[in-house]
């Protein structure tokens, strides 16, 4: 067992900021408390901040303001109209790039075509083409996650934005969220937890989520088929770079500071954060980074990437001579070909265990980038995982009945040369754990291993700190069977535990932990350090001590909490 570090760290330097944020929360509560509209003095068009202040100062009024004069902002492509909900200006579906269809398919993104009228930006834009979600077949999973899969279209380069103020001259930290789903699926709207309203209010920050090209459309390596396709293996990542350039050029109009940008993402989104850390094109577009359950240490390489591309071209019946037809085929046909190629040549791991050491080989269509880079050595990071990751009993109540004999058989299948040592190490830390819990810890251990390795590599550069966490909180829903599942921490980071009550139960314990996690993310976005008065002192990562912030009902910093376990699974 690791050493526990107790005590809180004062944060007097942000007293003024905390007061402003407390005020924001108070006036937002007033705005939502009334049931009848109040007659207010008229204000000039475009002065929506003043208008909403009048509503709030009256102590009553509508939850939402949406009109031709409320929440109007100017971007470099034209004006956009959003709405105000409980004091937070909300914009959805703002284009940051042109359509990716036709001649733009497999090409680097281009700026959106400008518009002259005010563009309504109140609803999510199209999502990137992707395969059908298998999770809908599982009632428990679908109930917990409550996905919003949206409408697919190649005109998908849109972003969503939440901010406490427009054109007020403030320079708020900006938090840009990259969604999960590997490089194959997902969107900036797919989970209720991605909604940025609460964390924008709590932290007086600007939150951005976005869509970008995925799967075969984002990462098909056609470079050998012509110079025009030179970037095709990475256009999905170049989309994200374009979104960050949009933030750089436009976020000041939305009350944000382009020089204080945090990128953060979970699972595949964490992998994308890891990718951006090594991309020259992204240099200087972000200043902090958070990787949640997505520490991708190795990227795809040219040979497997090219092989998948060749197989996809053949599946479509194309050749080098006819390759340009790939830009005019119906997108559904191209998508189907990519899915079929992966089905035949890139099967999912058996037994449900995802080995993060081999992650690059499991992802299918994914970026081809250098394996290591110091481009972002000066960018501080938060890195972490959940306790149970992909191995929970969601959809499978029978897993709770696993016996010791079944556990031993599974571990022998996974780690045949060291199963006894591994079982002994994992049982030592949690001697009272039932067999399925031990199996879940073992099956999830390489996700944590990669997080530790990513922090170790960051520390070795010696130019900016890394902070390591482990989210171990066990949800009470479904008799606690989901445990600390993959995606569990997102609702807490966004201060959305009530909004995501099907995942969290919506109770006071979840709410209290959500405050701790979201405040840590907010403070990190503002200062590059996650410490705040609500948690023990979170020290910078050191490979010698492996300080780990445990986020649970009792949040504590423990030195190397699973050192023996990690040693037992280490590759020789």
């Amino acid at each position: 067992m690791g050493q526990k570090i107790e005590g809180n760290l004062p944060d007097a330097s942000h007293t003024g900021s905390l007061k402003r944020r407390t005020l924001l929360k108070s006036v937002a509560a007033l705005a939502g408390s009334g049931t009848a509209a109040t007659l207010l003095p008229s204000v000039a068009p475009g002065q929506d901040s003043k208008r909403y202040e009048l509503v709030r100062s009256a102590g009553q009024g509508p939850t939402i303001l949406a009109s031709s004069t409320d929440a109007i902002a100017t971007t470099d492509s034209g004006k956009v109209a959003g709405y105000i909900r409980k004091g937070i200006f909300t914009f959805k579906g703002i284009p940051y790039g042109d359509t990716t269809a036709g001649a733009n398919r497999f090409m680097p993104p281009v700026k959106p075509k400008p518009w002259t009228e005010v563009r309504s930006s109140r609803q999510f834009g199209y999502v990137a083409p992707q395969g059908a979600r298998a999770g809908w077949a599982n009632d428990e999973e679908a109930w917990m996650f409550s996905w919003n899969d949206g409408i697919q279209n190649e005109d998908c380069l849109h972003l969503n934005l939440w901010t406490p103020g427009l054109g007020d001259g403030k320079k708020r930290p900006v938090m840009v969220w990259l969604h999960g789903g590997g490089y194959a699926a997902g969107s900036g709207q797919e989970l209720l937890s991605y909604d940025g309203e609460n964390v924008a209010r709590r932290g007086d920050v600007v939150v951005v989520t976005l869509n970008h090209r995925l799967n075969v459309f984002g990462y098909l390596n056609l470079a050998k088929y012509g110079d025009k396709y030179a970037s095709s293996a990475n256009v999905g990542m170049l989309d994200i770079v374009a979104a960050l350039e949009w933030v750089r050029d436009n976020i000041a109009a939305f009350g944000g500071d382009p020089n204080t940008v945090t990128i953060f993402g979970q699972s595949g989104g964490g992998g994308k954060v890891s990718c951006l850390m090594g991309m020259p094109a992204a240099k200087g577009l972000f200043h902090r980074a958070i990787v949640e359950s997505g520490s991708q240490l190795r990227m795809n390489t040219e040979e497997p990437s090219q092989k998948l591309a060749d197989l996809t071209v053949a599946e479509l019946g194309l050749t080098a001579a006819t390759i340009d037809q790939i830009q005019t085929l119906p997108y559904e046909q191209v998508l189907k070909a990519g899915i079929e190629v992966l089905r035949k040549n890139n099967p999912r791991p058996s037994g449900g265990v995802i080995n993060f050491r081999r992650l690059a080989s499991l992802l299918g269509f994914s970026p081809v980038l250098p394996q290591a880079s110091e481009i972002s050595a000066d960018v501080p990071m938060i890195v972490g995982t959940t306790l149970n990751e992909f191995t929970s009993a969601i959809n499978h109540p029978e897993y709770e009945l696993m016996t010791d004999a079944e556990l031993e058989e599974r571990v022998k299948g996974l780690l045949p040369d060291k199963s006894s040592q591994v079982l002994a190490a994992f049982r030592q830390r949690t001697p009272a754990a039932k067999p399925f819990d031990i199996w879940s810890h073992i099956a999830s251990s390489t996700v944590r291993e990669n997080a530790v390795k990513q922090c170790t590599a960051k520390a070795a550069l010696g130019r900016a700190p890394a902070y390591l966490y482990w989210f171990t909180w066990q949800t009470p829903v479904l008799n606690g069977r989901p445990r600390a599942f993959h995606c569990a921490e997102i609702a807490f980071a966004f201060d959305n535990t009530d909004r995501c009550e099907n995942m969290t139960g919506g109770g006071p314990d979840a709410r209290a932990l959500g405050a701790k996690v979201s405040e840590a993310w907010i403070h990190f976005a503002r200062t590059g350090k996650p410490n705040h008065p609500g948690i023990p002192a979170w020290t910078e990562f050191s490979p010698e001590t492996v300080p780990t912030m445990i986020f649970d009902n009792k949040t504590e910093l423990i030195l190397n909490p699973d050192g023996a376990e990690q040693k037992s699974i280490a590759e020789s």
Side-chain angles (χ1 to χ4, degrees), residues 8-11 515-521 523 530-536:
N8 290 342
L9 181 74
D11 195 19
K516 293 177 182 179
V517 177
S518 60
E519 284 287 353
W521 269 225
H523 277 70
N531 284 294
H532 65 87
I535 61 174

Side-chain angles (χ1 to χ4, degrees), residues 331-383:
Y331 83 76
E332 297 89 347
Q333 184 178 348
V334 179
L335 177 64
K336 182 179 179 182
I339 292 172
E340 185 63 14
V341 164
L342 292 182
R343 185 187 69 80
K344 295 175 181 175
N345 299 277
N346 202 63
R348 300 292 290 172
S350 60
V353 177
I354 298 178
N355 187 341
F356 257 50
R357 297 168 181 161
R358 314 283 185 263
L359 189 60
S361 65
L362 300 174
L363 290 171
F365 299 105
S366 60
V368 178
L369 293 168
Q371 300 304 303
S373 173
E374 297 185 16
I375 290 172
S376 299
D378 58 345
V379 174
M381 299 182 72
I382 292 176
V383 181

Side-chain angles (χ1 to χ4, degrees), residues 36-60:
T38 300
L39 293 177
L40 300 170
S42 61
V43 297
Q47 294 189 24
D48 39 8
S49 297
K50 183 177 180 181
R51 172 175 162 77
Y52 202 81
E53 286 299 329
L54 289 169
V55 172
R56 293 190 290 191
S57 65
Q60 57 186 351

Side-chain angles (χ1 to χ4, degrees), residues 165-433:
L166 291 181
D168 56 8
K170 291 187 177 180
K171 292 187 175 182
R172 298 174 176 84
V174 182
M175 302 178 71
V176 179
W177 174 255
L178 305 179
H179 67 76
Y183 296 93
S187 72
Q189 69 190 56
E190 66 174 337
L191 292 178
L192 294 171
S193 52
Y194 296 177
D195 188 279
E197 179 184 314
N198 285 338
V199 75
R201 180 182 299 112
R202 173 179 281 278
D204 193 22
V205 298
V206 181
V207 181
V208 176
T209 72
L210 60 102
N211 300 338
H212 59 88
R213 280 174 285 183
L214 300 165
N215 49 70
V216 67
F217 296 100
Y219 307 101
L220 185 67
N221 189 353
L222 297 172
K224 83 172 194 180
Y225 293 94
D227 292 344
K228 65 184 284 188
Y229 299 111
S231 301
S232 62
N234 294 314
V235 294
M237 292 305 304
L238 293 177
D239 290 346
I240 300 174
V241 171
L244 292 171
E245 290 173 340
W246 185 96
V247 168
R248 177 196 62 199
D249 298 339
N250 294 279
I251 208 66
F254 295 86
D257 182 0
N259 296 310
T260 312
V261 176
T262 298
I263 54 173
F264 67 132
Q266 183 270 349
S267 192
K272 294 161 198 170
V273 171
S274 301
C275 283
L276 289 166
M277 293 285 288
M279 289 184 67
K283 175 69 175 175
L285 296 175
F286 61 92
H287 314 92
R288 338 244 192 260
I290 303 175
V291 177
E292 304 174 24
S293 300
S295 294
Q296 187 175 352
L297 306 183
R298 295 182 178 88
M299 303 302 163
N300 201 1
T301 56
E302 185 68 27
E303 184 177 347
S305 175
Q306 188 63 69
K307 178 182 176 182
L308 287 180
D310 290 343
L311 291 168
T312 304
V313 170
E315 184 75 21
L316 289 166
L318 300 177
T319 66
T322 61
I323 190 62
D324 286 348
Q325 292 180 26
I326 202 168
Q327 293 184 301
T328 58
L329 293 172
Y331 83 76
E332 297 89 347
Q333 184 178 348
V334 179
L335 177 64
K336 182 179 179 182
I339 292 172
E340 185 63 14
V341 164
L342 292 182
R343 185 187 69 80
K344 295 175 181 175
N345 299 277
N346 202 63
R348 300 292 290 172
S350 60
V353 177
I354 298 178
N355 187 341
F356 257 50
R357 297 168 181 161
R358 314 283 185 263
L359 189 60
S361 65
L362 300 174
L363 290 171
F365 299 105
S366 60
V368 178
L369 293 168
Q371 300 304 303
S373 173
E374 297 185 16
I375 290 172
S376 299
D378 58 345
V379 174
M381 299 182 72
I382 292 176
V383 181
T385 62
T386 67
L387 176 62
N388 304 97
E389 291 294 352
F390 301 97
T391 308
S392 77
I394 301 172
N395 306 322
H396 293 284
E398 71 277 10
Y399 287 176
E400 302 295 342
L401 304 177
M402 180 180 287
T403 65
D404 284 325
E406 289 170 333
L407 167 63
E408 291 169 9
E409 188 66 26
R410 282 180 179 252
V411 178
K412 285 179 183 177
L414 184 66
L415 299 163
D417 298 329
K418 55 174 69 176
S419 60
S420 297
Q421 304 96 294
V422 169
L423 276 169
F426 279 79
R427 282 170 167 158
Q428 181 179 12
R429 187 175 68 86
T430 53

